[in-house]
Amino acid sequence: MSVPFLWLVSILCLLVSILPTARAAQSDAVISPRATVTLVTDDDTYMPGRPLHVGLRLRLAPGWHTYWLNPGDAGDAPTLDVRATGGATGQAGTIEWPTPRVLHDGQLTSYAYTGDVLLPVMLSPVAGAGDGPVTLSAKAEWLVCAEVCVPENGSFTLTLPRGDVRPSAEAAAFARAAADRPVPSPFAARVSPAGVLQLDGRGLSPDAVKDAWFMPEVAGAIDQDAPQAVTVRDGVVQLVLKPGPVFHDGAALSGIVVLRDPMGRERGLSVLPVVGEVRTLVSPPVEAPPDGIVHVGWLVGMAFVGGMILNLMPCVFPVLAMKVLSLERMARGERRAALAGAGAYAAGVVGSFVVLGGAIAALRVAGQQAGWGFQFQSTGFVIAICLLLFAVALNLLGFFTIGLRLMGLGDGLPAHAGDFLTGVLAVVLASPCTAPFMGAAVAGALAAPPVVGLLVFVSLGCGLAAPYLLLACMPGLLGWLPQPGRWMETVRNLLALPVLGTCVWLAWVAKLEGGMDALGLLAAGLVLVLVGCWCLRRASMMDLRDAMEGRAGLYRAMAILLLLVAFVGGGVLPPASVHDRSRGTDRVTDGSSAFSPTRLAELRRQGRPVFVDMTAAWCISCLVNERVALSTHAVQDAFARRGIVYMKGDWTLRDAAITAFLHEHGRDGVPFYIYYPAHGPEVILPEILTPGLVIRMTAPEEK
């Protein structure tokens, strides 16, 4: 027998001896045009007590992908259930997910795997019946997507003999999967309530990190489609995220931060940031105003027109009612006093706009999600304004004569301090609403340099104050007023009615935001204000003798004390009452569904038309639009006939998802209405609605 023949026989025997065990490390495949899927192990043998890696290996066809634990805007994560029987028993743990890729498809973002991917699980076999082989039985489901998505599944069986460690042919694939898994972050991680994620530690620098991005484990934690602004400094990497509907002020924002170095190498870090304040190194990105409006002149002009229109919005009616009383002084010909009062009112309006705009900009730089009207999301602020307006209504009813001198404060204040404070109150009450042109102007101001932003807010104030200034400068316009007389007292009393109506509305808002605790504090505050105003009335009616004996001063002191207790106590609520979101403010009684970015993306992917209504309980214009337009039978029937999904976003309490949605569309306040047709570009509706307007602007696809 020749030597070559003996070598050939030896090789064949060796192949025969190893062939069964080589096949034992891989099950039969489930094959489709989209993927070839098998169950594999990293070892050709098993031993009770020795960990065994089992994995679902997917060889995906070009152009197809499957999903991570959090699939993103659409998709579904694979599942794998592995059980051992025979010579050993046990059940495998959860999938040890490799770091996924970020895939963008239009306005949808997915976290996915492509090509050849292995999803491993760990099995710790426990001694079973005898020393025979172990049988691994697995059931798996996975979704593969390209232009379309196809759900697939399979049942797999794999048998391993008992023996010493013998790495399988798939061991290299398991090693690659282990290298692709994210490792616990060596850097301290924090996230602010506004969504600014920061890593701190040695080894972070612009030389080591060129780019970074974050992938959350929970769907809806962030807006996955929004760009993540990255800032890298020595010892710091910071990502500005756009919070999603389940963000919850940053609590439990676990996920993966991927760091890419200048050579293009990537490493995934598993993070569970602690919640805390983070100083943003750069301002969060603000969307540019719509329609390419970037010129300063346009912004200032739009702001002025928006401020003028704001006089017609329901929010400002109570203050305008108070200013009607000043028209009587103008009609009497006291032009100098009228001009001084109008100037003080305009100064209060313009100054308040500048302060409010600066506060919003400062909060954004600090990483907070603040928008136009943000102060009305504070229950304490709503209660304080309600108490103030209640005092104003009592004054209009003649219950007492309001006056700073009456309270012992007048000698050191300007003569027209009351007009100035009325201007401040006008802006406070106007801030919940946005008028036409005003939304784009505010968004542009906050995105522009500080000097431009200041000009825009000054222009807004000038627009709001312009009509009253015009009347003061042109007394001929007041010729239609009758001669002064007792009718002015009647008008004064009647003007208290809209102010009292505003108090009722604010009480309802306080109840929605803070529950019965807020309503109880408000009721107590109203009683204190009533008694305090009665004390002021008593002080004003006392004669000279009482004043000399100090009784009037005593009543004034009691009034000031009671009013301080009312306003300070009304602004303090137990934290549980303010932040108890379980009470909710979704006033869904008109066939609408609650706004959700994920649900909106899914509906648009399905090609369904959607009408989005961004509203708040403290926005009177929103409530008026709902009553006169959106809740009418004509509009509701049109929505039902055309299959339009009506989504309502309630911004009464702070909601990061709604704030992010408004910023995305160049808006900083409500109301905001946008219609997404099944096909074609989105349509933004004006701030003032009528049934005919809504029906007409949502009708392009109706045949």
Side-chain angles (χ1 to χ4, degrees):
M1 184 176 293
S2 65
V3 174
F5 180 76
L6 291 177
W7 275 105
L8 179 62
V9 172
S10 300
I11 293 173
L12 289 175
C13 291
L14 179 62
L15 289 175
V16 170
S17 65
I18 66 174
L19 185 59
T21 57
R23 293 192 58 195
Q26 177 173 297
S27 70
D28 292 334
V30 173
I31 302 175
S32 73
R34 298 160 294 276
T36 299
V37 184
T38 55
L39 187 74
V40 297
T41 61
D42 67 341
D43 202 319
D44 284 339
T45 63
Y46 84 96
M47 183 65 69
R50 187 177 73 204
L52 176 68
H53 278 101
V54 186
L56 189 70
R57 187 168 186 178
L58 302 96
R59 296 176 176 87
L60 299 166
W64 292 84
H65 62 267
T66 192
Y67 294 96
W68 181 49
L69 170 66
N70 171 15
D73 289 330
D76 199 9
T79 62
L80 176 60
D81 181 20
V82 181
R83 300 174 186 270
T85 57
T89 61
Q91 182 175 358
T94 58
I95 295 176
E96 298 173 350
W97 300 95
T99 302
R101 295 176 54 193
V102 181
L103 301 181
H104 297 286
D105 183 10
Q107 295 187 352
L108 300 180
T109 299
S110 301
Y111 304 124
Y113 305 105
T114 58
D116 188 350
V117 58
L118 177 64
L119 303 179
V121 294
M122 176 70 77
L123 176 68
S124 296
V126 178
D131 296 332
V134 66
T135 299
L136 304 179
S137 302
K139 293 182 179 180
E141 296 179 350
W142 59 94
L143 182 68
V144 286
C145 295
E147 296 297 328
V148 297
C149 290
V150 181
E152 297 183 347
N153 62 81
S155 297
F156 306 89
T157 302
L158 192 154
T159 301
L160 298 178
R162 183 173 178 139
D164 296 330
V165 175
R166 184 162 41 180
S168 72
E170 305 293 334
F174 280 92
R176 289 193 300 271
D180 288 341
R181 282 201 300 273
V183 299
S185 174
F187 311 111
R190 288 182 295 160
V191 62
S192 75
V196 180
L197 176 63
Q198 180 168 304
L199 301 182
D200 298 281
R202 297 183 60 182
L204 298 174
S205 69
D207 294 332
V209 179
K210 182 180 180 181
D211 196 9
W213 58 93
F214 173 72
M215 297 177 287
E217 291 183 355
V218 179
I222 64 171
D223 182 347
Q224 293 144 167
D225 306 323
Q228 300 177 5
V230 182
T231 303
V232 182
R233 303 278 176 84
D234 287 337
V236 178
V237 171
Q238 194 173 93
L239 295 164
V240 180
L241 311 175
K242 184 175 286 188
V246 298
F247 184 74
H248 298 310
D249 292 336
L253 189 65
S254 59
I256 300 174
V257 173
V258 179
L259 302 180
R260 176 185 291 164
D261 65 17
M263 301 296 294
R265 294 169 298 195
E266 299 175 0
R267 58 171 173 162
L269 305 179
S270 179
V271 297
L272 180 57
V274 298
V275 181
E277 291 300 327
V278 173
R279 178 179 176 273
T280 50
L281 302 179
V282 294
S283 299
V286 179
E287 298 293 335
D291 304 326
I293 302 173
V294 296
H295 192 271
V296 175
W298 274 107
L299 286 177
V300 172
M302 291 175 64
F304 184 82
V305 175
M308 289 192 66
I309 298 176
L310 197 60
N311 284 283
L312 303 177
M313 307 301 283
C315 301
V316 193
F317 284 173
V319 173
L320 293 182
M322 294 162 54
K323 294 309 296 177
V324 168
L325 296 176
S326 299
L327 298 179
E328 183 267 343
R329 181 174 57 189
M330 295 183 190
R332 289 203 307 263
E334 300 175 9
R335 188 174 182 187
R336 178 176 297 180
L339 287 173
Y345 170 76
V349 169
V350 174
S352 298
F353 264 111
V354 172
V355 170
L356 189 56
I360 297 173
L363 287 173
R364 288 192 173 185
V365 171
Q368 300 294 316
Q369 291 285 333
W372 188 251
F374 74 97
Q375 70 274 22
F376 274 84
Q377 295 172 335
S378 165
T379 313
F381 181 85
V382 172
I383 291 176
I385 294 300
C386 184
L387 296 177
L388 177 60
L389 289 180
F390 182 63
V392 170
L394 292 178
N395 173 250
L396 292 173
L397 289 171
F399 190 81
F400 74 106
T401 301
I402 197 167
L404 297 173
R405 286 180 172 79
L406 178 62
M407 301 177 68
L409 303 174
D411 294 336
L413 294 174
H416 293 282
D419 292 299
F420 180 87
L421 294 177
T422 303
V424 174
L425 183 59
V427 175
V428 169
L429 292 180
S431 59
C433 299
T434 56
F437 303 103
M438 182 179 164
V442 171
L446 295 174
V451 175
V452 176
L454 177 64
L455 288 175
V456 171
F457 282 107
V458 168
S459 184
L460 274 170
C462 291
L464 180 59
Y468 189 72
L469 281 172
L470 184 63
L471 288 174
C473 295
M474 302 179 66
L477 297 176
L478 300 174
W480 54 270
L481 282 178
Q483 291 298 316
R486 296 188 61 182
W487 67 271
M488 291 301 299
E489 187 66 24
T490 303
V491 170
R492 179 188 181 95
N493 296 155
L494 290 176
L495 293 179
L497 298 180
V499 180
L500 288 173
T502 305
C503 293
V504 174
W505 159 63
L506 290 173
W508 174 64
V509 174
K511 168 63 170 60
L512 290 177
E513 292 185 351
M516 292 305 298
D517 293 341
L519 201 58
L521 281 174
L522 175 59
L526 292 174
V527 172
L528 292 175
V529 169
L530 181 62
V531 176
C533 292
W534 177 83
C535 291
L536 289 178
R537 179 183 177 87
R538 289 285 297 172
S540 66
M541 296 175 63
M542 286 185 175
D543 55 24
L544 181 60
R545 179 180 177 181
D546 290 327
M548 292 180 63
E549 293 179 356
R551 295 179 183 176
L554 178 61
Y555 275 106
R556 293 192 192 99
M558 290 177 57
I560 294 174
L561 178 61
L562 290 171
L563 293 175
L564 283 176
V565 171
F567 283 95
V568 175
V572 178
L573 284 176
S577 297
V578 177
H579 300 293
D580 184 5
R581 300 302 181 96
S582 64
R583 289 171 175 152
T585 55
D586 284 335
R587 304 174 307 285
V588 180
T589 59
D590 48 13
S592 64
S593 59
F595 172 77
S596 163
T598 304
R599 175 64 174 159
L600 175 61
E602 179 65 20
L603 289 171
R604 296 192 65 193
R605 189 180 67 82
Q606 296 172 3
R608 299 185 62 184
V610 184
F611 183 92
V612 178
D613 168 15
M614 290 302 177
T615 183
W618 36 259
C619 173
I620 298 182
S621 298
C622 304
L623 303 180
V624 171
N625 284 334
E626 291 177 15
R627 179 60 60 89
V628 304
L630 297 176
S631 297
T632 60
H633 291 297
V635 171
Q636 292 296 311
D637 290 346
F639 282 3
R641 187 172 64 254
R642 298 164 184 167
I644 298 175
V645 179
Y646 179 22
M647 300 187 76
K648 183 181 292 185
D650 196 330
W651 208 38
T652 302
L653 293 173
R654 179 177 176 179
D655 189 303
I658 294 177
T659 304
F661 184 85
L662 292 171
H663 291 176
E664 180 182 347
H665 292 86
R667 293 295 188 271
D668 278 274
V670 291
F672 178 65
Y673 309 102
I674 184 169
Y675 172 60
Y676 297 95
H679 305 286
E682 60 196 35
V683 179
I684 296 179
L685 283 73
E687 287 83 353
I688 301 176
L689 301 180
T690 64
L693 176 68
V694 176
I695 293 172
R696 184 172 66 256
M697 297 192 72
T698 57
E701 296 184 331
E702 189 175 55
K703 303 298 183 184

